[in-house]
């Protein structure tokens, strides 16, 4: 439960945020600037403050358009022309509430998702409005960030500021591109960007008007193509709608394919098939041209025609927003090119954040009111968020083609190698066989010739001997006869034949050996032929596997279609369940406390949704439904239930009811305040402490309720609870309640006597910046009331804050880094210093130097002026500054 913090400005008190802790105050200028930048990579931090556009926001409506309000400071002209008039708007960031003044006595109250004061930095605006959308785009959703408002209120500064001279002034476009480029990997992801302008219903390319196919630009020059003109309201008024479209395609890793398990194939080839999952997100950042009234802007001639075109397109956008907010059957999206481009942003599938920019000048109250109502209607629009995630079948197909080409090439290479080897072995075998046959024939021929020659020689010798023997016989000599000679020759011939036969047998052995070698070569050839046949068979099996894979891909596509059909069926069933839940909620008041608790459970998320101040005939707010269905008395009775869960639910509902001023009187009349105080007295649950204290803090915003809280011992109970609590959020709620009570002039003495100031000072132990900011606000409110009472003469003597020992803590934290703490303490110092009786204590406590610093360096002009006036009017301070030689 948020509490409020007051800041003095222009004679009135306005609200400011407790969540800002920036050291440097960055103010949006009153005129728009055209974008030019060089993008710089930064690490994308996924953690961000409570921001717009989370996956499921705190209202329970995941796709609702989130709307933030940004207030620009007064420009030089307004500071002169409107110096005697207060701002027409007052922001209360703690309760996310905006007040639009009707007059000095009356104002309208509106609630938004986020309020950004004139002191909000560009970094704070980006983290609250755009960073969650950018992170969603990186996660695969479509996202839109859009700025809407009167011309000259800082739309282009918010979105398109480049920050060349001061990097802290970078706008949403530059910061979004930095985060996207830092998060994606160009090796596996892709980013494409186009920057368009819609001018006079004509779409033009700002990066390169002659090129319709635009890739990522890392260092674009200043886009001077965008039309701008000088009007009375803005020296550099944009005359066109600028639209930055960024498409992000990311591959999702770490997901295993289910193909193997579904098909029962555990082969390594199938296991390696993990179809890549791709997420596609589109970010659209829209800088709308400012709405303007012709009589104020002074447009004429061509500028007048531009203004007419701008107003017509903005009017068409407003009609679409109205139709979507009222759940109209027809949404006129085709009335303008702008609405056609933003079809997905409103009522589509994108996560959309809208920042409406307003100015403080009371002269433009009508335009400011129109802008606020546009934001209120936009908050009623709900989109159906859709994750753009799908299998990358093209990438899988390319990978399979590459693997197939690789397998085919490898197979062809191996086949060619085998064929070459077979040819080589065959040639070698044939050569060996031919060589053996040739050698055998040569050897056989040589042996045959040799044996024939020897045989002829032997026959000739025998004949010669026989002739010699005949001659001798004829001469009567007793010479051995031819028969004996022939017998010896035959014996010698037989010996020769035996030797020849042995040689022949040896040759036959060699021939048989060669034959065996030939048969072995032929067997090796047969083996190679069988291996070749096996390779061909493997090739056939590989082709069969490829066919199976292709069939598996086709089955996967069919399975995808089937799953999409099942998802559509589940969505329709979900809608039916939601309808039945609504019907059940309407019958909640027929049952007892058990049914009431169920009703509380079903409506808790709706109760947390900010209540919109809308006088239209739209659907009743959840809080009104709760009153009608359950009844306030039943809810309050549950605060005393025995079940702890019932009490926690009930006190949460009461706290949300107490956030509305119209419900506070009813709660008090029905005894709700007494029940809440009783919970603080009797309960020991930290959650009940926190929520009950928040509810009391909301009730304590009303002066009548403040007196009732004090009369019923509320400040004593809050002080005791502060001493027992440990949770920083509980202490923040208690400190907020006491801080609201400190702002009542009538309760000063009683609040101090019952330990209120001591309780505030005791909560400093927590050191949490939100708690310290509430403590500082309470001290500032108390000092302000004391100052007013002293001025009116109803109080004398030194400050009760100084008597209770608060001054050392004030001096210690006067220059605190957190701006909410520092701002309240600087204001408290100024109020304490306004009365001479406190001067000596402040000098001895070291507060004088801090007061001098405030008069010189304070970021708020009204506080700086008050400090300067106080130092100048105090004789004690003047004497001490002269002694210390401090120039002022």
């Amino acid at each position: 439960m948020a509490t409020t913090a007051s800041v003095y400005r222009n004679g009135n008190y306005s609200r400011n945020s407790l969540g800002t802790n920036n050291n440097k105050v960055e103010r949006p200028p009153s005129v728009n600037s055209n974008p030019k930048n060089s993008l710089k990579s930064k690490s994308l931090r996924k953690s961000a403050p409570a921001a717009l556009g989370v996956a499921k926001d705190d209202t329970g409506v995941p796709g609702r358009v989130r709307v933030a309000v940004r207030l620009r400071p007064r420009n030089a002209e307004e500071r002169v022309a409107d110096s005697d008039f207060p701002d027409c708007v007052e922001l209360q960031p703690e309760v996310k509430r905006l007040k639009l003044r009707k007059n000095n006595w009356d104002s309208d109250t509106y609630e938004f998702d986020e309020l950004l004061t004139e002191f909000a930095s560009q970094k704070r605006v980006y983290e609250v409005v755009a960073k969650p959308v950018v992170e969603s785009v990186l996660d695969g959703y479509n996202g839109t960030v859009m700025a809407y408002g009167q011309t000259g209120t800082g739309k282009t500064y918010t979105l398109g500021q480049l920050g060349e001279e001061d990097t802290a002034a970078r706008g949403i476009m530059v910061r979004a591109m930095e985060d996207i480029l830092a998060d994606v990997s160009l090796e596996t992801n892709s980013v494409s960007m186009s920057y368009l302008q819609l001018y006079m219903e004509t779409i033009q390319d700002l990066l390169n008007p002659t090129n319709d196919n635009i890739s990522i630009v890392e260092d674009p020059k200043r886009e001077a193509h965008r039309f701008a003109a000088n009007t009375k309201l803005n020296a550099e008024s944009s005359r066109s709608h600028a639209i930055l479209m960024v498409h992000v395609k990311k591959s999702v890793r770490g997901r295993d394919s289910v193909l193997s398990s579904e098909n029962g194939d555990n082969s390594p080839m199938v296991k390696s098939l993990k179809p890549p999952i791709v997420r596609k997100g589109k970010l659209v950042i829209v800088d709308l041209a400012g709405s303007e009234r012709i009589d104020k802007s002074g447009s004429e001639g061509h500028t007048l025609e531009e203004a007419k075109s701008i107003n017509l397109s903005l009017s068409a956008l407003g009609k679409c927003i109205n139709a979507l907010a009222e759940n109209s059957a027809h949404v006129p999206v085709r009335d303008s090119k702008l609405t056609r481009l933003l079809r997905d942003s409103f009522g589509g599938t994108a996560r959309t954040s809208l920042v409406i920019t307003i100015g403080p000048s009371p002269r433009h109250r009508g335009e400011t009111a129109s802008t606020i109502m546009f934001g209120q209607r936009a908050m009623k629009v709900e989109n159906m968020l859709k994750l753009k995630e799908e299998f990358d079948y093209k990438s899988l197909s390319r990978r399979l083609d590459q693997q197939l080409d690789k397998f085919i090439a490898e197979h062809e290479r191996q086949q060619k190698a085998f064929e070459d080897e077979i040819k080589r072995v065959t040639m070698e075998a044939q050569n060996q066989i031919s060589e053996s046959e040739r050698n055998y024939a040569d050897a056989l021929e040589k042996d045959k010739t040799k044996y024939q020659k020897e045989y002829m020689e032997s026959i000739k010798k025998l004949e010669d001997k026989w002739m010699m023997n005949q001659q001798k016989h004829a001469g009567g000599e007793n010479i051995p006869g031819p028969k004996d000679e022939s017998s010896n020759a035959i014996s010698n011939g037989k010996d020769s034949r035996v030797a020849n036969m042995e040689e022949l047998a040896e040759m036959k052995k060699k021939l048989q050996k060669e034959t065996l070698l030939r048969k072995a070569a032929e067997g090796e050839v047969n083996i190679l032929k069988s291996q070749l046949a096996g390779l061909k068979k493997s090739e056939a099996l590989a082709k069969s596997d490829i066919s199976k894979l292709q069939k598996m891909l086709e089955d996967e596509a069919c399975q995808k279609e089937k799953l999409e059909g099942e998802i559509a069926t589940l969505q329709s069933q979900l809608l039916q369940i939601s309808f039945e839940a609504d019907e059940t909620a309407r019958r909640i008041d027929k049952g007892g406390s058990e049914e009431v608790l169920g009703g509380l459970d079903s409506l808790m998320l709706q109760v947390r949704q900010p209540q919109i101040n809308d006088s239209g005939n739209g659907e009743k707010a959840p809080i009104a439904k709760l009153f009608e269905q359950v009844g306030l008395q039943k809810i309050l009775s549950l605060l005393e239930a025995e079940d702890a869960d019932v009490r926690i639910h009930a006190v949460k509902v009461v706290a949300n009811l107490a956030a509305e001023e119209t419900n506070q009187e009813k709660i008090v009349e029905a005894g709700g305040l007494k029940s809440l105080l009783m919970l603080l007295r009797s309960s020991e649950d930290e959650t009940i402490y926190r929520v009950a204290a928040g509810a009391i803090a909301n009730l304590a915003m009303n002066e009548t309720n403040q007196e009732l809280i004090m009369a019923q011992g509320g400040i004593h109970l809050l002080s005791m609870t502060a001493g027992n609590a440990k949770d920083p959020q509980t202490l923040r709620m208690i400190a907020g309640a006491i801080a609201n009570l400190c702002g009542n002039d009538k309760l000063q003495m009683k609040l101090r006597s019952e330990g209120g100031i001591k309780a505030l000072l005791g909560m400093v132990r927590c050191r949490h910046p939100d708690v310290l900011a509430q403590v500082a606000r309470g001290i500032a409110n108390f000092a302000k009331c004391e100052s007013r009472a002293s001025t009116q003469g109803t109080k004398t003597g030194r400050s009760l804050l100084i008597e209770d020992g608060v001054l050392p803590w004030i001096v210690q934290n006067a220059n605190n880094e957190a701006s909410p703490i520092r701002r309240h303490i600087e204001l408290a110092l100024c109020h304490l210093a306004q009365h001479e009786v406190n001067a000596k204590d402040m000098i001895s406590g070291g507060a004088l130097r801090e007061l001098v610093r405030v008069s010189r360096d304070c970021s708020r002009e009204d506080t700086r002026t008050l400090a300067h006036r106080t130092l100048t009017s105090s004789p004690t301070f003047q004497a001490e500054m002269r002694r210390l030689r401090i120039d002022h």
Side-chain angles (χ1 to χ4, degrees):
M1 180 63 59
T3 57
T4 60
S6 299
V7 178
Y8 189 82
R9 183 181 68 198
N10 295 336
N12 297 280
Y13 283 84
S14 63
R15 313 292 181 187
N16 206 337
S17 171
L18 298 180
T20 305
N21 57 3
N22 299 297
N23 296 336
K24 185 173 181 180
V25 178
E26 304 170 13
R27 302 188 179 185
S30 60
V31 295
N32 296 339
S33 301
N34 288 328
K36 73 174 183 180
N37 79 328
S38 59
L39 301 181
K40 302 177 181 177
S41 294
K42 281 189 177 181
S43 61
L44 179 59
R45 296 180 295 276
K46 293 294 183 183
S47 61
L52 305 179
V54 291
K56 185 170 184 178
D57 58 20
D58 56 357
T59 67
V61 183
R64 180 174 65 77
V65 174
R66 310 288 292 164
V67 182
V69 180
R70 187 177 195 186
L71 175 67
R72 69 154 173 81
R74 291 192 176 193
N75 55 32
E77 178 187 355
E78 291 169 349
R79 285 196 292 269
V80 175
D82 302 334
S83 59
D84 296 330
F85 301 93
D87 293 349
C88 68
V89 292
E90 178 183 358
L91 302 187
Q92 300 174 349
E94 293 80 6
V95 293
K96 299 180 180 179
R97 184 177 298 158
L98 179 149
K99 288 188 176 181
L100 178 64
R101 299 182 188 276
K102 292 182 178 178
N103 46 48
N104 291 335
W105 305 275
D106 194 11
S107 62
D108 292 329
T109 303
Y110 304 90
E111 294 193 1
F112 289 91
D113 297 301
E114 196 68 41
L115 297 180
L116 301 165
T117 67
E118 61 267 40
F119 304 105
S121 66
Q122 291 283 75
K123 178 181 178 183
R124 167 72 176 168
V125 174
Y126 172 72
E127 292 181 342
V128 168
V129 175
K131 187 169 184 177
V133 178
V134 174
E135 292 176 349
S136 297
V137 170
L138 292 172
D139 289 337
Y141 292 89
N142 288 348
T144 300
V145 179
M146 188 172 73
Y148 177 94
Q150 182 190 9
T151 182
T153 53
K155 296 183 297 302
T156 302
Y157 176 85
T158 299
L159 296 183
Q161 183 70 8
L162 300 178
E164 291 182 323
E165 298 179 355
D166 182 6
T167 57
R170 303 189 314 282
I172 287 176
M173 287 185 181
V174 177
R175 294 176 186 267
M177 289 304 302
E178 288 176 347
D179 283 353
I180 289 173
L181 293 176
D183 186 75
V184 301
S185 171
L186 297 182
E187 297 178 358
T188 57
N189 308 327
S190 65
V191 179
S192 61
M193 183 187 78
S194 57
Y195 193 28
L196 312 174
Q197 76 168 353
L198 180 58
Y199 174 70
M200 302 280 287
E201 286 299 295
T202 301
I203 299 177
Q204 300 177 5
D205 182 3
L206 291 177
L207 296 180
N208 187 353
T210 62
N211 185 7
D212 294 331
N213 186 14
I214 304 170
S215 59
I216 186 68
V217 178
E218 296 182 356
D219 187 15
K221 298 182 179 179
R222 180 181 180 90
E223 283 72 54
H225 300 295
R226 190 175 181 192
F227 287 95
N230 186 355
T231 68
K232 292 181 179 179
L233 297 179
N234 190 352
E236 220 175 328
S237 175
S238 299
R239 314 307 292 169
S240 64
H241 307 299
I243 304 171
L244 176 67
M245 293 185 178
V246 183
H247 295 265
V248 181
K249 182 178 179 182
K250 294 183 64 179
S251 297
V252 181
R253 299 183 180 273
R255 298 200 180 185
D256 294 333
S257 173
V258 296
L259 293 175
S260 298
S261 59
E262 290 180 354
N263 294 280
D265 192 344
N266 294 323
S267 65
M269 180 181 297
V270 176
K271 285 185 177 180
S272 65
L273 292 177
K274 298 179 180 179
I277 297 175
V278 174
R279 288 179 178 172
K280 298 178 180 179
K282 180 178 72 173
L283 174 64
V284 179
I285 302 179
V286 185
D287 180 8
L288 295 174
S291 60
E292 62 183 64
R293 294 179 59 179
I294 307 303
D295 56 344
K296 290 187 177 181
S297 65
S299 300
E300 57 184 10
H302 185 68
T303 306
L304 176 60
E305 296 301 321
E306 293 175 336
K308 290 180 180 179
S309 177
I310 292 170
N311 290 338
L312 282 175
S313 60
L314 293 178
S315 175
L317 178 61
K319 290 179 181 178
C320 291
I321 297 296
N322 291 341
L324 290 168
E326 296 170 2
N327 292 322
S328 174
H330 173 66
V331 180
V333 295
R334 302 190 66 84
D335 289 356
S336 169
K337 289 186 178 179
L338 176 63
T339 54
R340 291 169 66 182
L341 287 172
L342 298 180
R343 179 195 296 265
D344 194 47
S345 302
F346 293 94
T349 62
R351 175 169 285 119
T352 301
S353 288
L354 170 67
V355 55
I356 60 173
T357 57
I358 59 176
S361 174
R363 289 181 296 160
H364 305 307
R365 185 190 179 281
E367 290 80 357
T368 301
S370 176
T371 301
I372 291 173
M373 293 310 299
F374 179 91
Q376 292 281 284
R377 288 189 292 270
M379 289 178 67
K380 297 180 181 180
V381 178
E382 296 181 15
N383 295 344
M384 183 66 70
L385 305 186
K386 183 178 180 182
L387 180 64
K388 308 293 184 181
E389 183 177 85
E390 60 186 24
F391 287 111
D392 190 1
Y393 290 103
K394 292 183 179 179
S395 175
L396 177 60
S397 177
R398 287 194 300 268
R399 193 172 71 186
L400 290 175
D401 288 340
Q402 291 174 356
Q403 291 182 355
L404 180 59
D405 292 341
K406 182 179 179 181
F407 290 151
I408 291 175
E410 179 66 18
H411 172 68
E412 291 178 349
R413 186 189 65 79
Q414 292 180 357
Q415 184 177 10
K416 187 176 183 302
F418 285 138
E419 290 176 353
D420 293 343
E421 183 67 15
I422 290 172
K423 290 180 180 179
R424 185 186 66 79
V425 173
T426 302
M427 290 296 295
E428 288 182 357
Q430 289 177 352
N431 292 336
Q432 289 179 1
I433 292 171
S434 299
E435 182 69 21
S436 298
E437 290 177 347
R438 189 167 53 253
N439 293 336
Y440 176 73
D442 292 344
L444 187 61
E445 186 66 28
K446 287 179 180 179
D447 290 343
K448 182 179 178 181
T449 304
K450 177 181 177 183
Y451 295 149
Q452 287 178 350
K453 184 178 180 181
E454 289 178 351
Y455 177 75
M456 293 303 294
E457 289 177 351
S458 297
I459 293 298
K460 187 177 181 182
K461 286 179 179 181
L462 289 175
E463 289 178 349
D464 290 342
K465 286 181 179 181
W466 184 75
M467 290 298 294
M468 289 175 64
N469 289 331
Q470 286 292 334
Q471 290 176 0
K472 288 179 179 180
H473 181 70
E477 293 181 0
N478 189 11
I479 300 173
K483 188 174 181 180
D484 294 333
E485 295 279 347
S486 175
S487 179
N488 292 332
I490 290 171
S491 177
N492 292 332
K494 287 182 180 180
D495 293 337
S496 177
R497 286 194 194 96
V498 171
N500 290 336
M501 291 299 292
E502 289 178 356
E503 272 188 58
L504 183 60
E506 186 177 354
M507 291 301 296
K508 285 181 179 181
K509 288 180 181 180
K510 290 183 179 180
L511 182 60
Q512 289 175 355
K513 185 177 179 181
E514 291 295 332
T515 303
L516 291 175
L517 290 174
R518 180 175 180 179
K519 289 181 178 179
E522 290 176 351
E524 191 173 350
V525 170
N526 292 331
I527 292 173
L528 293 175
K529 288 182 178 179
S530 64
Q531 290 179 351
L532 178 61
L535 288 175
K536 291 183 177 179
K537 186 177 179 180
S538 298
E539 180 183 4
L541 291 175
K543 290 182 178 178
S544 176
D545 287 342
I546 292 171
S547 299
K548 288 181 180 179
L549 292 177
Q550 291 175 345
K551 187 176 183 303
M552 289 163 59
L553 287 177
E554 295 174 357
D555 293 341
E556 180 67 23
C558 295
Q559 184 68 16
K560 179 183 177 183
E561 294 180 358
K562 181 179 177 182
L563 290 176
E564 289 177 349
E566 292 177 357
I567 290 171
T569 303
L570 291 175
Q571 288 176 344
S572 64
Q573 292 176 357
L574 179 61
L575 292 175
Q576 180 65 24
I577 291 172
S578 300
F579 176 77
E580 292 174 359
D582 292 339
E583 290 295 323
T584 303
R586 295 191 182 95
R587 297 191 295 272
I588 191 171
D589 56 345
K590 295 181 181 180
S593 64
E594 301 248 341
E595 293 180 306
V596 172
L597 178 57
L600 292 176
D601 287 334
S602 65
L603 292 174
M604 274 305 296
L605 289 177
Q606 300 180 47
V607 171
R608 293 179 63 194
Q609 179 178 353
Q611 305 302 313
I612 301 174
N613 188 348
D614 192 356
S615 59
N617 297 323
E619 186 179 356
K620 289 186 177 180
I623 204 70
K625 288 183 179 179
L626 198 62
F627 272 162
E628 294 176 0
Q629 297 173 1
V630 180
L632 182 59
Q633 289 295 340
K634 287 185 179 180
I635 298 173
L636 293 178
S637 67
L638 294 179
L639 293 176
E640 302 176 1
E642 295 182 0
D643 191 333
D645 290 336
V646 175
R647 291 199 305 272
I648 291 174
H649 281 294
V651 74
K652 286 182 178 180
V653 173
V654 173
N656 281 279
L657 292 173
E660 287 295 314
E661 294 181 4
T662 56
N663 300 329
Q664 293 176 359
E665 184 178 355
K666 297 177 183 178
I667 293 173
V668 174
E669 291 177 354
L673 176 59
K674 183 177 179 181
S675 299
L676 291 171
L677 294 174
M678 183 63 68
L679 285 175
L680 290 182
R681 181 181 292 110
S682 61
S683 178
E684 296 181 357
D685 188 276
E686 187 83 12
T687 302
I688 292 181
Y689 281 165
R690 180 174 68 254
V691 183
I696 294 172
N698 286 336
L699 295 175
M701 295 172 65
N702 180 281
E703 185 174 349
T704 303
N705 294 341
Q706 291 173 352
E707 296 176 0
L708 290 174
I709 292 172
M710 294 294 294
Q712 296 181 21
I715 191 66
H716 177 67
L717 288 174
L718 289 170
S719 300
M720 290 180 57
T721 306
N724 297 329
K726 297 180 180 179
D727 181 40
Q729 296 304 317
T730 303
L731 293 174
R732 181 172 71 89
M733 297 299 177
I734 298 172
I738 297 177
N740 289 340
L741 296 173
C742 287
N744 192 317
D745 297 338
K746 304 175 185 177
L747 307 177
Q748 296 278 290
M749 296 302 299
K750 188 172 182 180
L751 188 144
R752 184 218 182 185
S753 64
E754 293 188 7
I757 301 302
K758 293 292 186 183
L760 277 178
L761 200 58
M763 283 184 279
V764 171
R765 72 183 186 278
C766 176
R767 298 184 179 276
H768 193 282
D770 289 349
V771 178
L772 297 182
Q774 294 296 334
V775 171
R777 184 171 70 88
I779 292 173
N781 286 343
F782 197 95
K784 177 190 67 177
C785 291
E786 276 193 331
S787 175
R788 190 160 47 231
S790 298
T791 303
Q792 295 172 355
T794 58
K795 181 186 181 305
T796 58
R798 65 176 185 161
S799 169
L800 299 178
L801 293 173
I802 295 178
E803 291 182 357
D804 282 355
V806 179
L807 185 60
W809 184 80
I810 292 178
V811 174
Q812 181 183 357
N813 290 273
N815 198 20
N816 195 290
E817 293 182 354
S819 60
I821 301 174
R822 183 178 66 252
R823 185 175 66 251
H824 291 306
I825 291 180
E826 288 174 347
L827 193 59
L829 272 176
C830 292
H831 285 306
L832 288 174
Q834 281 187 307
H835 304 284
E836 194 70 13
V837 69
N838 298 327
K840 291 183 178 180
D841 290 307
M842 295 185 70
I843 292 172
S844 63
L848 176 59
R849 292 189 180 275
E850 294 298 332
L851 195 61
V852 172
R853 180 193 60 77
V854 172
S855 69
R856 293 174 178 173
D857 303 331
C858 181
S859 60
R860 294 188 58 86
E861 184 178 356
D862 50 356
T863 305
R864 193 166 62 248
T865 303
L866 180 61
H868 183 274
R869 186 171 65 244
T870 300
L871 289 172
T872 305
S873 61
S874 171
T876 305
F877 286 146
Q878 288 290 318
E880 182 66 14
M881 285 191 294
R882 285 194 298 270
R883 187 182 71 82
L884 297 176
R885 297 180 180 180
I886 298 176
D887 296 330
H888 186 263

